[in-house]
Amino acid sequence: MPSEHLQGMPHAAQAITDIEQLKDHPALSILLGAMREAVKEAKWDREELTITVARESIRDACEALKPEFNYLSDLTCTDWYPSEPRFHVVYHLLSHKRKERVRLKVKLTADDATVESIYGVWPACDFFER
């Protein structure tokens, strides 16, 4: 995140997890304005922003961000077995205009590890979603 979004905040090793401190980042600001209840967590760590959204809102979150973060560069999943929620589906988005990245995350439990496709937003995810 460019420093103008977090002026006066330390850029050291300590992560920032307070949504109120991060609310001015373009991606988080967009999501908070469009779907505040869907934003579960936000974390600024090592010059990267990760926003955790509710599973049922991932498609809407991607649609809300697409005008600014216009490129889906990657879609992956991590398995945190034996922890719950076990699976973290991660979407890496890029803004060519802003030259910034943002990571969206959805957490899924082992007993219900399904999430809506974002193919309608980014058809390029077809391969990743298989």
Side-chain angles (χ1 to χ4, degrees):
M1 173 187 317
S3 59
E4 67 266 14
H5 297 298
L6 294 174
Q7 287 184 358
M9 290 187 192
H11 292 282
Q14 190 167 21
I16 300 170
T17 58
D18 179 22
I19 290 177
E20 190 61 28
Q21 284 184 288
L22 298 170
K23 70 181 180 184
D24 292 331
H25 183 282
L28 188 55
S29 177
I30 290 166
L31 292 181
L32 290 174
M35 54 183 48
R36 180 175 287 274
E37 70 287 343
V39 176
K40 300 303 179 189
E41 301 171 356
K43 181 178 182 181
W44 175 257
D45 190 20
R46 290 172 273 198
E47 303 289 322
E48 296 178 347
L49 179 65
T50 302
I51 304 170
T52 303
V53 298
R55 163 168 90 184
E56 61 274 4
S57 300
I58 188 59
R59 183 184 172 97
D60 292 339
C62 289
E63 286 177 348
L65 290 175
K66 189 170 182 181
E68 287 296 319
F69 291 83
N70 57 312
Y71 181 73
L72 172 74
S73 62
D74 193 22
L75 168 60
T76 191
C77 182
T78 54
D79 183 349
W80 293 95
Y81 178 82
S83 298
E84 282 293 341
R86 180 174 171 178
F87 301 104
H88 294 191
V89 181
V90 182
Y91 306 79
H92 295 101
L93 310 180
L94 171 67
S95 170
H96 287 104
K97 178 171 68 173
R98 295 180 176 281
K99 296 179 177 55
E100 292 181 29
R101 296 183 184 276
V102 67
R103 178 183 301 115
L104 294 182
K105 184 186 292 188
V106 175
K107 296 180 180 180
L108 305 172
T109 60
D111 63 334
D112 190 10
T114 60
V115 65
E116 184 177 5
S117 171
I118 61 164
Y119 180 82
V121 182
W122 282 296
C125 75
D126 184 39
F127 176 78
F128 296 119
E129 288 187 342
R130 292 174 190 232

